[in-house]
Amino acid sequence: MERIPRRVVLVGYPDAELLDLACPADVFDAANRLGVQPRYELRTATVDGHGIRCQNGLTLGAQQRLDQVEGGLDTLIVSGGLGCEKAAEDIRLINHIRRLADSSRRVASVCSGAAVLAAAGLLNGCRATTHWIYAARLAERYPAVTVDPVPLFIRHGSVYTSAGVTSGLDLALSFVEEDHGPTLAREVARMLVTYLQRPGNQAQVSMFISGPPPEHRVVRDLVAHIAEKLDADLGTPALAAHAGISTRQLSRLFEAHLGTTPSKHVRATRTEAAAHLLSTTELPLAAIARRCGFGSTETLRQAFLDHYDTPPSAYRRVHLRHSPA
């Protein structure tokens, strides 16, 4: 016998990001096509019930006005997009989000949709994430929110925030796993030809692709030196000697151009290099630790726990099976 559906409402507004709406919707739809019970009943909603003119120029139809949406939802998801700040200032939208959140099993935002949840007061006192480009602005505008720009998604009680765009797919997969178990989540991922599920604590952006090299020549040269000589002595005195400057000057340059200390940058670089080897090779942990400059597998393990909130063995289990043959 068919059970009462899980009602899911996706909230949009002018200049929303289409993928923020489409990614979660397609995950739930795929679960439905695989025969889950109870099914997910999907609806898009806007303040006035008009279609959502997305930031890419396409229009997505809305099925309901928000004042027509009754409480008791299973999942309420707010999209992000270029229109997020105007949406966060729309008192009608914010009041409806507050009203529906009070009786929803879980509330989530994708990308910069976190601004709407923050404006509704739902993130006060919470650790939350958003697209890394928008993180500093969100933290500045909503000081009661602890903004962490690193993870793909974060859960705080019944409120979930996720990073940019396709992280909404990872978040929705985690919902399916939460509701119906890991086997069904794997089937959904296969149907969508995507990763099983990137862990929420995986970093949004690797330092190896996060942006152009530092403009300052000394810092740029040291960053390259660190990446190329991971197993060398990369302590602050050794780096300062390599650059021909004092340790105090080295620390000032790293803080000014990288926003971190030399030792933290070295540790993060080594950890991400180890993550790359874990996901692309079958090298033993001890060999990876040596190659990346960690003194022992325990040191590597602690660095992984600090950086990814997961041990290297668990990281490899999730990522190695998705690597190309």
Side-chain angles (χ1 to χ4, degrees):
M1 184 171 65
E2 189 165 310
R3 296 160 64 186
I4 298 173
R6 299 179 188 271
R7 291 197 298 142
V8 179
V9 170
L10 301 155
V11 178
Y13 45 78
D15 286 327
E17 165 63 63
L18 179 59
L19 279 174
D20 289 2
L21 297 159
C23 283
D26 278 358
V27 168
F28 293 129
D29 175 64
N32 285 343
R33 285 184 280 142
L34 288 169
V36 297
Q37 286 294 335
R39 292 170 55 81
Y40 295 100
E41 180 184 274
L42 304 174
R43 291 286 186 273
T44 54
T46 60
V47 168
D48 54 18
H50 296 162
I52 304 161
R53 189 182 186 282
C54 299
Q55 65 183 43
N56 60 12
L58 299 179
T59 299
L60 177 67
Q63 293 159 299
Q64 284 184 293
R65 293 198 317 263
L66 277 168
D67 63 4
Q68 297 172 326
V69 179
E70 297 179 356
L73 298 177
D74 181 83
T75 307
L76 177 68
I77 300 177
V78 180
S79 68
L82 295 178
C84 67
E85 293 190 1
K86 286 186 178 179
E89 295 170 356
D90 186 336
I91 191 62
R92 297 173 302 163
L93 174 61
I94 297 308
N95 285 339
H96 285 306
I97 295 299
R98 287 195 188 111
R99 172 179 65 85
L100 294 170
D102 282 344
S103 59
S104 295
R105 182 166 72 98
R106 59 193 172 204
V107 181
S109 64
V110 182
C111 195
S112 54
V116 177
L117 298 190
L122 300 178
L123 301 183
N124 288 348
C126 296
R127 175 171 163 260
T129 194
T130 186
H131 193 296
W132 61 272
I133 287 177
Y134 190 69
R137 188 172 184 85
L138 183 70
E140 180 182 358
R141 293 194 64 177
Y142 301 99
V145 182
T146 301
V147 180
D148 184 346
V150 174
L152 287 174
F153 58 86
I154 291 174
R155 176 181 183 178
H156 190 108
S158 62
V159 180
Y160 301 71
T161 52
S162 62
V165 209
T166 56
S167 63
L169 187 150
D170 302 293
L171 179 62
L173 279 171
S174 77
F175 289 163
V176 170
E177 180 172 349
E178 187 179 294
D179 298 342
H180 300 287
T183 301
L184 193 281
R186 280 196 295 271
E187 290 303 310
V188 171
R190 290 192 185 102
M191 182 176 287
L192 297 175
V193 196
T194 187
Y195 289 103
L196 166 63
Q197 177 194 330
R198 293 179 294 177
N201 53 27
Q202 181 172 318
Q204 292 186 37
V205 182
S206 165
M207 68 174 57
F208 300 120
I209 60 170
S210 62
E215 293 183 2
H216 194 282
R217 182 187 58 78
V218 171
V219 179
R220 183 173 65 249
D221 290 347
L222 283 171
V223 165
H225 171 72
I226 291 166
E228 293 168 2
K229 304 288 185 181
L230 291 174
D231 59 348
D233 179 1
L234 299 177
T236 299
L239 291 175
H242 179 81
I245 58 177
S246 69
T247 56
R248 181 176 296 180
Q249 177 67 2
L250 175 70
S251 296
R252 281 201 296 261
L253 286 173
F254 267 63
E255 186 63 41
H257 296 278
L258 297 178
T260 189
T261 65
S263 60
K264 287 181 179 178
H265 178 80
V266 168
R267 195 167 191 251
T269 303
R270 283 173 164 162
T271 305
E272 292 207 4
H276 176 72
L277 291 175
L278 285 165
S279 62
T280 58
T281 76
E282 295 186 1
L283 286 171
L285 287 183
I288 291 175
R290 286 194 303 272
R291 184 177 295 191
C292 296
F294 291 104
S296 65
T297 54
E298 179 55 32
T299 307
L300 169 61
R301 181 179 179 277
Q302 190 56 57
F304 248 80
L305 287 171
D306 292 343
H307 195 70
Y308 292 110
D309 196 27
T310 191
S313 55
Y315 184 95
R316 168 170 268 173
R317 280 198 301 272
V318 172
H319 292 80
L320 182 58
R321 61 191 169 194
H322 299 308
S323 298

